[in-house]
PDB file of all heavy atoms in Angstrom:
ATOM      1  N   ASN R   1       8.074  10.081   1.886  1.00 92.00           N
ATOM      2  CA  ASN R   1       9.165   9.462   1.141  1.00 92.00           C
ATOM      3  C   ASN R   1       8.551   8.464   0.170  1.00 92.00           C
ATOM      4  O   ASN R   1       7.905   7.492   0.594  1.00 92.00           O
ATOM      5  CB  ASN R   1      10.144   8.769   2.103  1.00 92.00           C
ATOM      6  CG  ASN R   1      11.319   8.132   1.392  1.00 92.00           C
ATOM      7  OD1 ASN R   1      11.171   7.188   0.617  1.00 92.00           O
ATOM      8  ND2 ASN R   1      12.513   8.645   1.674  1.00 92.00           N
ATOM      9  N   LEU R   2       8.736   8.706  -1.122  1.00 94.00           N
ATOM     10  CA  LEU R   2       8.066   7.903  -2.138  1.00 94.00           C
ATOM     11  C   LEU R   2       8.419   6.425  -2.034  1.00 94.00           C
ATOM     12  O   LEU R   2       7.534   5.556  -2.072  1.00 94.00           O
ATOM     13  CB  LEU R   2       8.422   8.429  -3.541  1.00 94.00           C
ATOM     14  CG  LEU R   2       7.813   7.672  -4.720  1.00 94.00           C
ATOM     15  CD1 LEU R   2       6.293   7.704  -4.672  1.00 94.00           C
ATOM     16  CD2 LEU R   2       8.329   8.247  -6.043  1.00 94.00           C
ATOM     17  N   LYS R   3       9.704   6.114  -1.889  1.00 96.00           N
ATOM     18  CA  LYS R   3      10.128   4.714  -1.848  1.00 96.00           C
ATOM     19  C   LYS R   3       9.524   3.987  -0.645  1.00 96.00           C
ATOM     20  O   LYS R   3       9.064   2.836  -0.771  1.00 96.00           O
ATOM     21  CB  LYS R   3      11.661   4.661  -1.773  1.00 96.00           C
ATOM     22  CG  LYS R   3      12.248   3.257  -1.693  1.00 96.00           C
ATOM     23  CD  LYS R   3      11.998   2.487  -2.998  1.00 96.00           C
ATOM     24  CE  LYS R   3      12.891   1.247  -3.107  1.00 96.00           C
ATOM     25  NZ  LYS R   3      12.791   0.325  -1.966  1.00 96.00           N
ATOM     26  N   ILE R   4       9.495   4.643   0.509  1.00 97.00           N
ATOM     27  CA  ILE R   4       8.932   4.013   1.712  1.00 97.00           C
ATOM     28  C   ILE R   4       7.440   3.756   1.531  1.00 97.00           C
ATOM     29  O   ILE R   4       6.923   2.691   1.895  1.00 97.00           O
ATOM     30  CB  ILE R   4       9.191   4.894   2.945  1.00 97.00           C
ATOM     31  CG1 ILE R   4      10.689   4.942   3.250  1.00 97.00           C
ATOM     32  CG2 ILE R   4       8.421   4.369   4.158  1.00 97.00           C
ATOM     33  CD1 ILE R   4      11.058   5.884   4.363  1.00 97.00           C
ATOM     34  N   LYS R   5       6.735   4.702   0.940  1.00 97.00           N
ATOM     35  CA  LYS R   5       5.299   4.518   0.704  1.00 97.00           C
ATOM     36  C   LYS R   5       5.058   3.395  -0.300  1.00 97.00           C
ATOM     37  O   LYS R   5       4.147   2.571  -0.128  1.00 97.00           O
ATOM     38  CB  LYS R   5       4.683   5.829   0.208  1.00 97.00           C
ATOM     39  CG  LYS R   5       4.617   6.937   1.256  1.00 97.00           C
ATOM     40  CD  LYS R   5       4.005   8.205   0.665  1.00 97.00           C
ATOM     41  CE  LYS R   5       4.102   9.396   1.586  1.00 97.00           C
ATOM     42  NZ  LYS R   5       3.217   9.311   2.748  1.00 97.00           N
ATOM     43  N   GLN R   6       5.859   3.362  -1.365  1.00 98.00           N
ATOM     44  CA  GLN R   6       5.700   2.307  -2.370  1.00 98.00           C
ATOM     45  C   GLN R   6       5.951   0.926  -1.758  1.00 98.00           C
ATOM     46  O   GLN R   6       5.202  -0.022  -2.027  1.00 98.00           O
ATOM     47  CB  GLN R   6       6.665   2.549  -3.529  1.00 98.00           C
ATOM     48  CG  GLN R   6       6.277   3.705  -4.427  1.00 98.00           C
ATOM     49  CD  GLN R   6       7.305   3.961  -5.515  1.00 98.00           C
ATOM     50  OE1 GLN R   6       8.506   3.752  -5.313  1.00 98.00           O
ATOM     51  NE2 GLN R   6       6.851   4.430  -6.665  1.00 98.00           N
ATOM     52  N   ASP R   7       6.997   0.824  -0.952  1.00 98.00           N
ATOM     53  CA  ASP R   7       7.301  -0.465  -0.316  1.00 98.00           C
ATOM     54  C   ASP R   7       6.170  -0.898   0.614  1.00 98.00           C
ATOM     55  O   ASP R   7       5.809  -2.081   0.666  1.00 98.00           O
ATOM     56  CB  ASP R   7       8.606  -0.364   0.467  1.00 98.00           C
ATOM     57  CG  ASP R   7       9.832  -0.269  -0.434  1.00 98.00           C
ATOM     58  OD1 ASP R   7       9.697  -0.531  -1.643  1.00 98.00           O
ATOM     59  OD2 ASP R   7      10.917   0.083   0.069  1.00 98.00           O
ATOM     60  N   LEU R   8       5.619   0.066   1.344  1.00 98.00           N
ATOM     61  CA  LEU R   8       4.519  -0.243   2.261  1.00 98.00           C
ATOM     62  C   LEU R   8       3.319  -0.789   1.500  1.00 98.00           C
ATOM     63  O   LEU R   8       2.815  -1.890   1.804  1.00 98.00           O
ATOM     64  CB  LEU R   8       4.112   1.005   3.037  1.00 98.00           C
ATOM     65  CG  LEU R   8       2.849   0.878   3.888  1.00 98.00           C
ATOM     66  CD1 LEU R   8       3.090  -0.042   5.077  1.00 98.00           C
ATOM     67  CD2 LEU R   8       2.371   2.249   4.354  1.00 98.00           C
ATOM     68  N   PHE R   9       2.857  -0.052   0.521  1.00 98.00           N
ATOM     69  CA  PHE R   9       1.662  -0.460  -0.218  1.00 98.00           C
ATOM     70  C   PHE R   9       1.910  -1.709  -1.057  1.00 98.00           C
ATOM     71  O   PHE R   9       1.015  -2.546  -1.211  1.00 98.00           O
ATOM     72  CB  PHE R   9       1.167   0.680  -1.108  1.00 98.00           C
ATOM     73  CG  PHE R   9       0.352   1.711  -0.380  1.00 98.00           C
ATOM     74  CD1 PHE R   9       0.768   3.035  -0.334  1.00 98.00           C
ATOM     75  CD2 PHE R   9      -0.825   1.365   0.251  1.00 98.00           C
ATOM     76  CE1 PHE R   9       0.013   3.986   0.331  1.00 98.00           C
ATOM     77  CE2 PHE R   9      -1.588   2.317   0.924  1.00 98.00           C
ATOM     78  CZ  PHE R   9      -1.162   3.632   0.961  1.00 98.00           C
ATOM     79  N   GLY R  10       3.128  -1.829  -1.593  1.00 98.00           N
ATOM     80  CA  GLY R  10       3.446  -3.019  -2.386  1.00 98.00           C
ATOM     81  C   GLY R  10       3.337  -4.287  -1.567  1.00 98.00           C
ATOM     82  O   GLY R  10       2.819  -5.313  -2.040  1.00 98.00           O
ATOM     83  N   GLY R  11       3.797  -4.230  -0.303  1.00 97.00           N
ATOM     84  CA  GLY R  11       3.696  -5.389   0.571  1.00 97.00           C
ATOM     85  C   GLY R  11       2.277  -5.664   1.007  1.00 97.00           C
ATOM     86  O   GLY R  11       1.829  -6.822   1.020  1.00 97.00           O
ATOM     87  N   LEU R  12       1.543  -4.609   1.351  1.00 98.00           N
ATOM     88  CA  LEU R  12       0.164  -4.784   1.826  1.00 98.00           C
ATOM     89  C   LEU R  12      -0.769  -5.248   0.716  1.00 98.00           C
ATOM     90  O   LEU R  12      -1.775  -5.923   0.982  1.00 98.00           O
ATOM     91  CB  LEU R  12      -0.353  -3.475   2.423  1.00 98.00           C
ATOM     92  CG  LEU R  12       0.389  -2.958   3.654  1.00 98.00           C
ATOM     93  CD1 LEU R  12      -0.248  -1.666   4.150  1.00 98.00           C
ATOM     94  CD2 LEU R  12       0.416  -4.001   4.758  1.00 98.00           C
ATOM     95  N   ASP R  13      -0.447  -4.896  -0.523  1.00 98.00           N
ATOM     96  CA  ASP R  13      -1.304  -5.258  -1.653  1.00 98.00           C
ATOM     97  C   ASP R  13      -1.461  -6.768  -1.780  1.00 98.00           C
ATOM     98  O   ASP R  13      -2.510  -7.265  -2.195  1.00 98.00           O
ATOM     99  CB  ASP R  13      -0.707  -4.672  -2.936  1.00 98.00           C
ATOM    100  CG  ASP R  13      -1.601  -4.886  -4.148  1.00 98.00           C
ATOM    101  OD1 ASP R  13      -2.823  -4.652  -4.039  1.00 98.00           O
ATOM    102  OD2 ASP R  13      -1.078  -5.298  -5.199  1.00 98.00           O
ATOM    103  N   LYS R  14      -0.437  -7.488  -1.404  1.00 96.00           N
ATOM    104  CA  LYS R  14      -0.462  -8.950  -1.511  1.00 96.00           C
ATOM    105  C   LYS R  14      -1.305  -9.592  -0.403  1.00 96.00           C
ATOM    106  O   LYS R  14      -1.674 -10.759  -0.494  1.00 96.00           O
ATOM    107  CB  LYS R  14       0.965  -9.501  -1.451  1.00 96.00           C
ATOM    108  CG  LYS R  14       1.890  -8.986  -2.551  1.00 96.00           C
ATOM    109  CD  LYS R  14       3.292  -9.541  -2.379  1.00 96.00           C
ATOM    110  CE  LYS R  14       4.231  -9.070  -3.471  1.00 96.00           C
ATOM    111  NZ  LYS R  14       4.471  -7.612  -3.428  1.00 96.00           N
ATOM    112  N   LEU R  15      -1.600  -8.827   0.645  1.00 97.00           N
ATOM    113  CA  LEU R  15      -2.270  -9.386   1.822  1.00 97.00           C
ATOM    114  C   LEU R  15      -3.707  -8.917   2.010  1.00 97.00           C
ATOM    115  O   LEU R  15      -4.517  -9.618   2.595  1.00 97.00           O
ATOM    116  CB  LEU R  15      -1.464  -9.017   3.084  1.00 97.00           C
ATOM    117  CG  LEU R  15      -0.007  -9.483   3.095  1.00 97.00           C
ATOM    118  CD1 LEU R  15       0.742  -8.840   4.250  1.00 97.00           C
ATOM    119  CD2 LEU R  15       0.072 -11.003   3.191  1.00 97.00           C
ATOM    120  N   ALA R  16      -4.013  -7.717   1.523  1.00 97.00           N
ATOM    121  CA  ALA R  16      -5.342  -7.144   1.734  1.00 97.00           C
ATOM    122  C   ALA R  16      -6.377  -7.828   0.844  1.00 97.00           C
ATOM    123  O   ALA R  16      -6.065  -8.277  -0.264  1.00 97.00           O
ATOM    124  CB  ALA R  16      -5.316  -5.648   1.448  1.00 97.00           C
ATOM    125  N   PRO R  17      -7.628  -7.917   1.303  1.00 96.00           N
ATOM    126  CA  PRO R  17      -8.696  -8.483   0.473  1.00 96.00           C
ATOM    127  C   PRO R  17      -8.876  -7.701  -0.824  1.00 96.00           C
ATOM    128  O   PRO R  17      -8.469  -6.534  -0.927  1.00 96.00           O
ATOM    129  CB  PRO R  17      -9.931  -8.353   1.373  1.00 96.00           C
ATOM    130  CG  PRO R  17      -9.409  -8.251   2.757  1.00 96.00           C
ATOM    131  CD  PRO R  17      -8.100  -7.524   2.647  1.00 96.00           C
ATOM    132  N   ALA R  18      -9.521  -8.326  -1.781  1.00 95.00           N
ATOM    133  CA  ALA R  18      -9.691  -7.698  -3.095  1.00 95.00           C
ATOM    134  C   ALA R  18     -10.492  -6.407  -3.020  1.00 95.00           C
ATOM    135  O   ALA R  18     -10.264  -5.479  -3.791  1.00 95.00           O
ATOM    136  CB  ALA R  18     -10.369  -8.682  -4.046  1.00 95.00           C
ATOM    137  N   HIS R  19     -11.419  -6.328  -2.062  1.00 95.00           N
ATOM    138  CA  HIS R  19     -12.291  -5.154  -2.011  1.00 95.00           C
ATOM    139  C   HIS R  19     -11.646  -3.951  -1.330  1.00 95.00           C
ATOM    140  O   HIS R  19     -12.156  -2.825  -1.424  1.00 95.00           O
ATOM    141  CB  HIS R  19     -13.599  -5.491  -1.277  1.00 95.00           C
ATOM    142  CG  HIS R  19     -13.442  -5.580   0.205  1.00 95.00           C
ATOM    143  ND1 HIS R  19     -13.054  -6.739   0.849  1.00 95.00           N
ATOM    144  CD2 HIS R  19     -13.607  -4.654   1.189  1.00 95.00           C
ATOM    145  CE1 HIS R  19     -13.008  -6.525   2.154  1.00 95.00           C
ATOM    146  NE2 HIS R  19     -13.337  -5.262   2.387  1.00 95.00           N
ATOM    147  N   THR R  20     -10.534  -4.161  -0.615  1.00 97.00           N
ATOM    148  CA  THR R  20      -9.947  -3.108   0.207  1.00 97.00           C
ATOM    149  C   THR R  20      -9.447  -1.940  -0.634  1.00 97.00           C
ATOM    150  O   THR R  20      -8.727  -2.132  -1.617  1.00 97.00           O
ATOM    151  CB  THR R  20      -8.783  -3.657   1.055  1.00 97.00           C
ATOM    152  OG1 THR R  20      -9.248  -4.763   1.819  1.00 97.00           O
ATOM    153  CG2 THR R  20      -8.227  -2.578   1.977  1.00 97.00           C
ATOM    154  N   ILE R  21      -9.815  -0.750  -0.222  1.00 98.00           N
ATOM    155  CA  ILE R  21      -9.366   0.476  -0.882  1.00 98.00           C
ATOM    156  C   ILE R  21      -8.111   0.973  -0.191  1.00 98.00           C
ATOM    157  O   ILE R  21      -8.034   1.007   1.043  1.00 98.00           O
ATOM    158  CB  ILE R  21     -10.461   1.561  -0.835  1.00 98.00           C
ATOM    159  CG1 ILE R  21     -11.693   1.110  -1.634  1.00 98.00           C
ATOM    160  CG2 ILE R  21      -9.942   2.897  -1.367  1.00 98.00           C
ATOM    161  CD1 ILE R  21     -12.895   2.035  -1.486  1.00 98.00           C
ATOM    162  N   PHE R  22      -7.118   1.372  -0.973  1.00 98.00           N
ATOM    163  CA  PHE R  22      -5.900   1.964  -0.459  1.00 98.00           C
ATOM    164  C   PHE R  22      -5.936   3.470  -0.708  1.00 98.00           C
ATOM    165  O   PHE R  22      -6.329   3.912  -1.793  1.00 98.00           O
ATOM    166  CB  PHE R  22      -4.663   1.389  -1.159  1.00 98.00           C
ATOM    167  CG  PHE R  22      -4.254   0.016  -0.695  1.00 98.00           C
ATOM    168  CD1 PHE R  22      -4.965  -0.663   0.286  1.00 98.00           C
ATOM    169  CD2 PHE R  22      -3.143  -0.604  -1.246  1.00 98.00           C
ATOM    170  CE1 PHE R  22      -4.583  -1.930   0.713  1.00 98.00           C
ATOM    171  CE2 PHE R  22      -2.747  -1.864  -0.840  1.00 98.00           C
ATOM    172  CZ  PHE R  22      -3.465  -2.529   0.141  1.00 98.00           C
ATOM    173  N   ALA R  23      -5.510   4.245   0.286  1.00 98.00           N
ATOM    174  CA  ALA R  23      -5.482   5.703   0.123  1.00 98.00           C
ATOM    175  C   ALA R  23      -4.251   6.271   0.820  1.00 98.00           C
ATOM    176  O   ALA R  23      -3.872   5.821   1.901  1.00 98.00           O
ATOM    177  CB  ALA R  23      -6.750   6.338   0.707  1.00 98.00           C
ATOM    178  N   SER R  24      -3.644   7.261   0.197  1.00 98.00           N
ATOM    179  CA  SER R  24      -2.501   7.945   0.793  1.00 98.00           C
ATOM    180  C   SER R  24      -2.907   9.350   1.212  1.00 98.00           C
ATOM    181  O   SER R  24      -3.628  10.040   0.492  1.00 98.00           O
ATOM    182  CB  SER R  24      -1.333   8.028  -0.196  1.00 98.00           C
ATOM    183  OG  SER R  24      -0.277   8.810   0.344  1.00 98.00           O
ATOM    184  N   ASN R  25      -2.422   9.760   2.377  1.00 98.00           N
ATOM    185  CA  ASN R  25      -2.675  11.105   2.883  1.00 98.00           C
ATOM    186  C   ASN R  25      -1.572  12.082   2.462  1.00 98.00           C
ATOM    187  O   ASN R  25      -1.489  13.188   2.979  1.00 98.00           O
ATOM    188  CB  ASN R  25      -2.783  11.075   4.415  1.00 98.00           C
ATOM    189  CG  ASN R  25      -3.104  12.436   5.009  1.00 98.00           C
ATOM    190  OD1 ASN R  25      -4.112  13.050   4.685  1.00 98.00           O
ATOM    191  ND2 ASN R  25      -2.213  12.948   5.855  1.00 98.00           N
TER     192      ASN R  25
END
């Protein structure tokens, strides 16, 4: 579900360190 994935990553983006890589399966 696109909206659920966007909300998840949008929230985590503010908390994860600068070096952290995000990936979707």
